[in-house]
Amino acid sequence: MTYVSWATFHEGATDAVYLEVLLPRILEDIIAERGIHNSDVPATPSVRLGRNGRVVDDVANEACDAKDAFEIVFIHADTGGRGLAETLASRSGSYCQRMYEICQWPTERCVQVAPRHETEAWVLADPSAVLGALGYSGDFRELGLPKDAAAAERLVDPKATLDTALGQVAGPRRRRARVEQLFPAIAQRQDLAQLRRSSSYQSFEAALVRCLQHIGCIE
């Protein structure tokens, strides 16, 4: 039995409440499909990095100090606009590189989580999951939601799209209060096959597969 523990670093609290529900589902799905032997994936991260800020050296040192507590570290960063997208690899990859320099943490086991533009591009990937979390029985087009992951990824401002849909269903006063409940509810409902239609997700999953192969728990 392999215990596939994991750590996270997120740019924001909202991203965390979504990704920390989604990530163990993805790990379990890949391992169930391709696992060499039984593996146990905890439902929550063993370490949440970034308690002392987002400075690369601080995060890398924090990770190295706790490296015995996890097998994988996920580094989250939105790609944002064109300028941010062009510097994403150096921004998020620098945490991985610094971990390697400080404590020889294998770069294969430092996985970048980089939804196109914003995390909401993944949140919106499966309209049925969004509608279910909203408790809305109508058509996704009535709320202006994208039809699939590819369409969600083409949105320039997916956060605004989700915010508008939530406002239509919940009303402006309850909109903000419901976000932290909405994100994990969507993450629980999402069909991973739908999410795999997102090119940024495909890149993430390919890196995660290489990571799990490096650990030795999948073929």
Side-chain angles (χ1 to χ4, degrees), residues 62-182:
E62 186 183 351
C64 285
D65 287 345
K67 68 178 183 177
D68 292 337
F70 52 84
E71 298 291 333
I72 305 168
V73 59
F74 292 104
I75 303 292
H76 163 257
D78 290 329
T79 59
R82 180 179 177 184
L84 283 176
E86 289 172 349
T87 61
L88 171 65
S90 61
R91 285 192 301 121
S92 54
S94 59
Y95 294 102
C96 301
Q97 181 60 33
R98 195 70 183 110
M99 286 177 63
Y100 176 76
E101 292 168 356
I102 293 171
C103 61
Q104 291 72 57
W105 182 262
T107 54
E108 295 91 345
R109 291 200 275 136
C110 185
V111 180
Q112 297 175 35
V113 185
R116 174 129 176 99
H117 293 308
E118 296 167 326
T119 299
E120 284 79 0
W122 286 9
V123 173
L124 293 169
D126 180 358
S128 295
V130 179
L131 294 175
L134 287 170
Y136 187 77
S137 59
D139 191 279
F140 70 91
R141 287 166 290 194
E142 295 169 359
L143 300 181
L145 297 173
K147 66 178 182 178
D148 57 26
E153 203 164 46
R154 288 193 294 269
L155 294 171
V156 175
D157 192 349
K159 183 176 296 197
T161 298
L162 183 60
D163 204 42
T164 298
L166 181 55
Q168 287 181 252
V169 175
R173 292 184 179 180
R174 295 176 59 203
R175 181 169 53 202
R176 283 293 109 201
R178 286 196 60 189
V179 167
E180 289 197 0
Q181 297 174 342
L182 181 67

Side-chain angles (χ1 to χ4, degrees), residues 27 37 40 44 59 66 70 94 97 101 108 112 123 126 131 152 165 172 177 194 199 201 204 213-214:
L27 285 166
H37 44 69
D40 182 21
T44 57
V59 174
F70 52 84
S94 59
Q97 181 60 33
E101 292 168 356
E108 295 91 345
Q112 297 175 35
V123 173
D126 180 358
L131 294 175
Q194 294 296 323
S199 61
Y201 177 84
F204 156 75
Q213 288 170 333
H214 186 268

